[in-house]
Amino acid sequence: MAAQPAKPRNCAGATLDYIGARHVGVGPEVSSYTTQAVKIPMRDGIKLAADLYAPELPSGQTPAGLIMIQCCYGRGAGISFINARVFAARGYRALMVSTRGTAGSEGVFDPGSNEQFDSQDIVDWMRQQPWYPGSFATMGASYLGYSQWALLQNPPEDCVAAIIPVGPHDHAWHAWGTGSFRLDRASWSDVMSKGEEESGSIVSRLANIPGLSFLRSKELEEAVAGLPLDTSLQRYFGDRAPWLFEYLKHPCIDDDYWTSRRHNATLERVQIPILLVSGWWDTFTTQTMHQFKYLRDRGVNVSLIVGPWTHVQGSGIHSMPEIMDFLAEHLAKTGKYSHPPARIHITGSKEWRSMPTWPPVTEPKCLFLQEYNKIGSKLPLQNAPEASFVFDPLDPTPSIGGNQISSGGQVNDSAYADRSDVLAFTSEPLAQAFEVLGKPCVYLMHASDPPFADLFLRLSEVDIEDVSHNITEMYHALDPSRDMTQPLKLELQDCAHRFKKGTRVRLLVAGGSFPMYARNLGTAESRVFGTKTAPQRHTLTIAGGVSQLVLPVAADA
C-alpha cells in the first residue's frame, strides 16, 4: 500500500495548538506542520498505525530532532497535542505510534507484554526512512513512559535522551507490590477494553473520573466489592480485558508471567540523559523516586521534577517549559537545561526548592505513639495501655484521596479520625516549624487476630482550624507467619512537606484502604478467590516507646 500523503494543519488545529500552548506555558511556534498516516511493520507481520508530524520549515532548514512516542490511548487531538503537535510546531519531527491492538494498530492489546520488542522494531523502521536524522529522543507519560523503559531495556545507540513523566517501569510492582492487588487495574482495564466509539475519548475518561472513588460506575463499584473478587469481576467484564484476570492469578511479582512486564534491568543499562516528572500524589510516585535514586547512584545524567500533582497533573502539562529546555540541550543541541538535578515542591509552604539530589541530608525526628491517641517526643510510660481497632472486610475502611489513579490527591481526610476502624495519633500544636524531606518510617509493635491482616498508614497534617490533610502513605499486606513479638519497620512514600508552627502531626493506622486495594479477608483464603471473611482485631503496643514515627527532618531545622 502506498504511503498516504502528508496533510497540512488546518485552521481548527492551529487554534487548538495556540490555546494549548498558552495553557502549558511554552514559547511561540516556529512553524506549522504536516501530519502523515503511516503503517510500521513488526517482526511478526502485524502493522502498527502511526502519525508522522513534520514541521514546515524554510528551505535548507532541518528539523531540530526526532521524537518517538508510543501510545495506547489513541492519537486524537488531546493526547497528540501534549506529545507531538506542540513539538512539531516548534521545529521537531515527531512519530506517534499506537500500541499493538489499539487505535488502528493490528494485533492484540496485552498490556506491557509486547513493548520491548515492538519498540525495537519501530526504531529499526525509522532508521530505514529517508527523513531519519541519525538520532532520536523518546517522550510520553504514564503507559507511554512504560513503553520507553521497555525500549531502554536494550538501549539503542541512536537514542540520545528520554522524557518520562509519571511512568512506571514495573507492572508487577504496581499491581501486587504491596502484597495486595491494586484495584485501579480494574478501572483502567475497563476503560482500555472498550472501544472509543463505545466509551468516548479514552484520555478524557481516564482524566475525569468523579468523586473520591476512582471507579467509573456503580456497576464496577459493586463488582470490586463482590466475593469472590475474581468471579465478581468476571461477571462484570465478560470476555473483555483478559489480562486483568491474568494479573489476579499471579500475586507473586517474581512469577514468570511478569518477566516481560518488568524492566528493572533498564535501570542497570541505561546511560542517556533522562528527565523524570512526578507528583506527590501520583499513582507511580514510588517507582519514579526509585528510578531517580538508582540512576543517580549510578552516575547517570538524570533530572527530577516533583510537584503537588496527581497522576494526570504530573503527566507533563505543568512541566512543558522544562521539557522544552531538556530537548533543546540533549536533542536539538541548541540550548541548555539549566535546572537543578532535583526540582522539588515543598507542600505546606507551597514553594519550589532546587536540590543537588534527592533525598537531601536529613536528621531523624522521633515521635512516640502514646496513650489517648497522642503522638509526641515524650516517651510513653512502661504501663501505657495498648491501642486497638477492628477492620471488617465487609465494611472496609474507605480510600480517601492519596495516590489513586485519577481522583486522589491532597484532600480533607478528617473523616478518618472519626472512624472506629482507624487509629488517629495526633500531636500537640507544634512549637516550631520543621520540614520533612524523604521517607518517614514507622516502627510498629503490632499484632492481629487472626494473623491475616493488612496495614494502611498515612501521615497527615492537622491545621489550626482542625482540618486534616494527607501528606504521604503506605500499604502493606502482612505475612501471617510473622513474629508478632518483633516490631514492624514500615516506610512511607517519599514526601517534602513543611509543618508550620501551630499545626499538628497526625499518623493514621488502619487495616485497609478500599477500593484502592483489594481487602484482606481475614482468612487463609486468597483475597482474589476467597469467599469467607473474618473481622481482624489490630493491637498496637505503645508502652516504653516501642511504636514510633521517625521523620527525616531537614538538617538545618
Side-chain angles (χ1 to χ4, degrees):
M1 180 186 294
Q4 296 186 24
K7 298 180 179 179
R9 179 175 62 170
N10 58 29
C11 291
T15 301
L16 289 172
D17 288 349
Y18 173 78
I19 295 171
R22 291 195 55 147
H23 178 70
V24 300
V26 295
E29 295 185 356
V30 301
S31 69
S32 188
Y33 57 82
T34 62
T35 308
Q36 182 181 19
V38 297
K39 293 285 188 177
I40 304 175
M42 299 291 101
R43 66 188 69 184
D44 61 355
I46 72 111
K47 292 184 174 69
L48 302 186
D51 292 326
L52 177 65
Y53 293 80
E56 294 182 313
L57 299 170
S59 179
Q61 187 174 337
T62 59
L66 171 65
I67 305 170
M68 170 183 160
I69 309 104
Q70 300 176 76
C71 182
C72 66
Y73 300 126
R75 303 187 309 281
I79 196 75
S80 66
F81 167 74
I82 199 70
N83 287 288
R85 288 160 40 207
V86 69
F87 302 108
R90 283 151 188 83
Y92 293 92
R93 195 186 304 270
L95 178 69
M96 188 168 185
V97 187
S98 284
T99 303
R100 177 182 291 247
T102 70
S105 286
E106 298 170 358
V108 176
F109 181 55
D110 184 13
S113 64
N114 295 299
E115 281 72 15
Q116 182 176 346
F117 295 110
D118 284 356
S119 61
Q120 296 289 341
D121 291 351
I122 295 168
V123 173
D124 287 342
W125 178 85
M126 289 194 310
R127 291 170 178 153
Q128 300 170 30
Q129 307 311 306
W131 43 259
Y132 185 64
S135 64
F136 68 98
T138 59
M139 167 74 194
S142 192
Y143 196 98
L144 289 67
Y146 168 81
S147 298
Q148 295 179 71
W149 290 119
L151 169 68
L152 296 174
Q153 177 108 344
N154 294 293
E157 293 183 357
D158 40 353
C159 182
V160 297
I163 299 166
I164 308 179
V166 297
H169 61 277
D170 188 334
H171 277 207
W173 186 357
H174 181 67
W176 281 104
T178 64
S180 180
F181 186 67
R182 281 286 300 240
L183 287 168
D184 60 14
R185 297 302 79 199
S187 56
W188 183 82
S189 296
D190 189 32
V191 172
M192 294 305 302
S193 62
K194 291 182 176 179
E196 289 199 36
E197 66 280 357
E198 177 184 357
S199 62
S201 166
I202 290 175
V203 176
S204 66
R205 289 187 68 225
L206 286 169
N208 296 296
I209 301 172
L212 289 175
S213 172
F214 57 79
L215 302 174
R216 57 165 296 273
S217 69
K218 183 67 174 178
E219 292 78 12
L220 186 54
E221 288 182 2
E222 292 174 350
V224 300
L227 295 176
L229 176 61
D230 176 79
T231 302
S232 185
L233 288 173
Q234 286 278 8
R235 284 196 295 268
Y236 176 80
F237 278 91
D239 60 358
R240 294 189 294 116
W243 62 81
L244 174 63
F245 301 95
E246 292 301 315
Y247 289 1
L248 292 171
K249 292 177 186 175
H250 297 91
C252 177
I253 63 175
D254 294 323
D255 191 290
D256 289 344
Y257 169 79
W258 294 108
T259 300
S260 64
R261 298 164 174 82
R262 310 187 72 192
H263 299 292
N264 297 286
T266 299
L267 303 181
E268 295 278 0
R269 299 170 183 171
V270 68
Q271 299 288 348
I272 61 172
I274 293 180
L275 174 60
L276 301 173
V277 183
S278 188
W280 291 126
W281 299 286
D282 171 37
T283 312
F284 302 111
T285 307
T286 299
Q287 291 200 41
T288 300
M289 306 307 278
H290 173 77
Q291 293 157 9
F292 177 77
K293 186 177 187 306
Y294 200 101
L295 296 177
R296 188 76 175 165
D297 289 348
R298 281 188 53 226
V300 175
N301 180 0
V302 58
S303 299
L304 174 70
I305 301 171
V306 187
W309 305 320
T310 60
H311 185 65
V312 172
Q313 293 166 342
S315 63
I317 57 177
H318 294 297
S319 310
M320 195 55 67
E322 292 91 340
I323 290 172
M324 288 293 183
D325 290 347
F326 191 83
L327 287 170
E329 174 172 353
H330 298 295
L331 183 60
K333 310 296 185 183
T334 59
K336 181 71 175 176
Y337 185 80
S338 57
H339 308 283
R343 186 166 176 263
I344 305 297
H345 186 273
I346 312 297
T347 59
S349 62
K350 298 183 179 179
E351 65 175 291
W352 286 92
R353 190 81 50 81
S354 297
M355 299 182 184
T357 190
W358 177 269
V361 176
T362 58
E363 297 175 348
K365 180 181 180 67
C366 184
L367 300 177
F368 299 100
L369 276 61
Q370 300 170 348
E371 57 184 319
Y372 307 117
N373 284 357
K374 300 293 185 182
I375 189 170
S377 56
K378 183 180 178 181
L379 197 68
L381 298 174
Q382 287 292 345
N383 61 352
E386 296 174 332
S388 66
F389 65 92
V390 175
F391 174 80
D392 183 354
L394 296 181
D395 183 21
T397 313
S399 304
I400 302 177
N403 297 89
Q404 300 186 51
I405 193 169
S406 62
S407 57
Q410 189 171 48
V411 300
N412 179 350
D413 64 2
S414 303
Y416 276 137
D418 296 327
R419 292 186 60 92
S420 62
D421 57 356
V422 179
L423 291 175
F425 295 93
T426 309
S427 74
E428 295 296 327
L430 299 175
Q432 61 183 25
F434 62 85
E435 289 181 353
V436 178
L437 304 173
K439 292 182 178 180
C441 183
V442 175
Y443 294 88
L444 211 59
M445 187 63 76
H446 170 274
S448 66
D449 183 21
F452 310 100
D454 295 353
L455 277 172
F456 172 70
L457 305 181
R458 172 176 283 183
L459 177 66
S460 295
E461 180 185 60
V462 183
D463 64 23
I464 58 175
E465 296 178 349
D466 201 34
V467 177
S468 174
H469 291 89
N470 53 308
I471 299 168
T472 186
E473 60 195 41
M474 63 80 61
Y475 196 97
H476 183 62
L478 300 172
D479 181 354
S481 64
R482 66 195 182 278
D483 182 355
M484 297 189 195
T485 67
Q486 298 298 315
L488 297 168
K489 180 181 179 181
L490 303 166
E491 283 189 335
L492 281 69
Q493 184 176 278
D494 285 87
C495 66
H497 182 79
R498 183 174 182 81
F499 283 92
K500 296 179 181 178
K501 179 180 178 180
T503 64
R504 291 178 287 161
V505 177
R506 173 170 286 172
L507 177 67
L508 298 167
V509 182
S513 177
F514 182 82
M516 190 185 299
Y517 295 95
R519 299 156 291 175
N520 194 311
L521 302 182
T523 72
E525 291 186 338
S526 162
R527 69 184 70 213
V528 172
F529 303 106
T531 58
K532 297 178 181 179
T533 66
Q536 304 135 46
R537 176 168 290 278
H538 294 250
T539 303
L540 308 185
T541 301
I542 60 179
V546 291
S547 295
Q548 53 191 264
L549 166 67
V550 181
L551 300 173
V553 173
D556 58 352

